[in-house]
Amino acid sequence: MFFLLRWTVYFLSFYFLTMLSLFALHTYLPKPPQIFGFIARSMAAYITLIICAAYGTIASAILKPLGLHYKYAQWTTAKAFKHLGKYTMGVEFEIIDDGEQILNNTRPAVFVINHQTELDVLLLGWIWPLYCSVTAKKSLRNIPFLGWYMTLSGTVYIDRVDRSAARKAFEGAAMTMREKRQSVAIFPEGTRSYSIEPMLLPFKKGAFHLAVQGGVDIVPVVAENYSAVLSPKARRFNSGTIRVKVLDPISTKGLTSTDVDKLTQDTREKMLNAITSMAQDSKSQSSLSRKKDS
């Protein structure tokens, strides 16, 4: 036990020393290689995730016997990641217009969010409402701390290989939504796009079937393309502020499974229009800023 503890201390000391050294080089060198900032912030992101997952595991274990895990477990962990990540990664998300009001006053709902990179986990921390859980692929359940936390906090696991198991998971989630007025957050693209342009991958229909089965609203959430902040392909990870737009809820009242295709297409179109509009707005603001500077 002492041997394991000692080597854990050695590893963490080396980890933090390396991370802080890279941050220092990235900050103080006249023209530092971009990779220094990328590695430093990536290391900061991973250690922040581990710390918050450990906290979430403990918090969920305490809240579950009290019957409060559905309300608070994922919310409190998300907010911890938000506040800690603001300092360790230097990244913030700004919810524009009436987004906060929609997030906090729409319950239950299926929140559908565009999926760009691993930084979307931090995005969840900024938008997470009470009484909400996330869906995740089944393999994440076996990851230490993160998997323990997700299981204890009420995550809906989806088996992407076994469709019948996936349908049962969605049926269970729909029942929980109706009985406990529990919301669910889903990335309908199913995988990260890693795009440097404002775009969306094709949507999978599970989120929309779930909303129709549960008879709840769909709330589209769009983060602007943030490849200037994080782009794993370009080995770029900078500090910055990313805007998020929460669109008006889309009712599923009276809809059936035959309406899911159109519902999926319409929602995707609205989200794509929003992300494109945000990109155009950013370009206009940049042009005005350059004109003022000149």
Side-chain angles (χ1 to χ4, degrees), residues 2-41:
F2 178 75
F3 176 81
L4 180 62
L5 180 61
R6 184 176 64 180
W7 280 103
T8 301
V9 172
Y10 287 162
F11 171 77
L12 290 174
S13 299
F14 176 76
Y15 191 98
F16 279 101
L17 182 61
T18 303
M19 181 179 69
L20 293 173
S21 297
L22 288 168
F23 266 123
L25 289 169
H26 179 70
T27 302
Y28 296 114
L29 284 179
K31 292 183 178 180
Q34 188 169 263
I35 191 69
F36 286 175
F38 177 79
I39 296 175
R41 281 198 169 83

Side-chain angles (χ1 to χ4, degrees), residues 103-138:
L103 289 170
N104 294 325
N105 294 333
T106 309
R107 173 189 168 215
V110 173
F111 296 95
V112 291
I113 310 153
N114 61 319
H115 206 8
Q116 299 185 57
T117 72
E118 289 79 0
L119 196 60
D120 291 337
V121 179
L122 183 59
L123 164 63
L124 292 177
W126 285 79
I127 67 171
W128 207 257
L130 288 168
Y131 292 103
C132 188
S133 61
V134 71
T135 61
K137 56 186 179 182
K138 193 176 179 181

Side-chain angles (χ1 to χ4, degrees), residues 68-276:
L68 297 174
H69 61 297
Y70 282 111
K71 181 177 181 181
Y72 290 117
Q74 296 200 5
W75 176 85
T76 187
T77 308
K79 297 312 173 186
F81 194 57
K82 165 191 170 179
H83 293 296
L84 188 57
K86 182 168 36 173
Y87 297 104
T88 58
M89 289 172 266
V91 176
E92 299 183 37
F93 287 86
E94 178 190 1
I95 302 173
I96 61 176
D97 300 332
D98 297 324
E100 291 276 9
Q101 185 176 350
I102 297 172
L103 289 170
N104 294 325
N105 294 333
T106 309
R107 173 189 168 215
V110 173
F111 296 95
V112 291
I113 310 153
N114 61 319
H115 206 8
Q116 299 185 57
T117 72
E118 289 79 0
L119 196 60
D120 291 337
V121 179
L122 183 59
L123 164 63
L124 292 177
W126 285 79
I127 67 171
W128 207 257
L130 288 168
Y131 292 103
C132 188
S133 61
V134 71
T135 61
K137 56 186 179 182
K138 193 176 179 181
S139 58
L140 291 177
R141 185 169 54 186
N142 301 319
I143 297 177
F145 293 112
L146 181 62
W148 304 338
Y149 150 66
M150 294 175 80
T151 300
L152 285 169
S153 62
T155 295
V156 179
Y157 290 109
I158 305 299
D159 190 337
R160 294 181 178 176
V161 178
D162 188 341
R163 289 192 175 185
S164 62
R167 281 197 296 270
K168 287 181 181 178
F170 277 125
E171 287 171 5
M175 185 179 298
T176 301
M177 295 179 79
R178 289 191 296 267
E179 293 178 353
K180 299 184 180 295
R181 300 191 65 222
Q182 180 84 359
S183 298
V184 174
I186 300 178
F187 296 106
E189 292 165 279
T191 189
R192 304 174 190 93
S193 64
Y194 295 113
S195 174
I196 60 173
E197 299 293 337
M199 56 84 71
L200 293 172
L201 296 173
F203 278 8
K204 299 183 184 301
K205 300 174 187 175
F208 305 93
H209 277 292
L210 175 59
V212 169
Q213 286 179 28
V216 302
D217 289 350
I218 291 170
V219 179
V221 181
V222 177
E224 67 181 333
N225 184 274
Y226 55 71
S227 56
V229 173
L230 175 61
S231 174
K233 292 180 180 179
R235 297 295 186 266
R236 176 174 55 247
F237 197 166
N238 300 317
S239 60
T241 301
I242 300 162
R243 292 179 304 154
V244 179
K245 187 173 182 63
V246 182
L247 307 186
D248 291 333
I250 301 170
S251 176
T252 64
K253 188 176 181 180
L255 299 185
T256 66
S257 58
T258 58
D259 300 303
V260 166
D261 283 351
K262 187 175 186 308
L263 180 63
T264 303
Q265 293 169 6
D266 290 348
T267 304
R268 184 179 181 277
E269 185 177 350
K270 288 179 180 180
M271 293 176 70
L272 185 57
N273 288 340
I275 195 173
T276 302

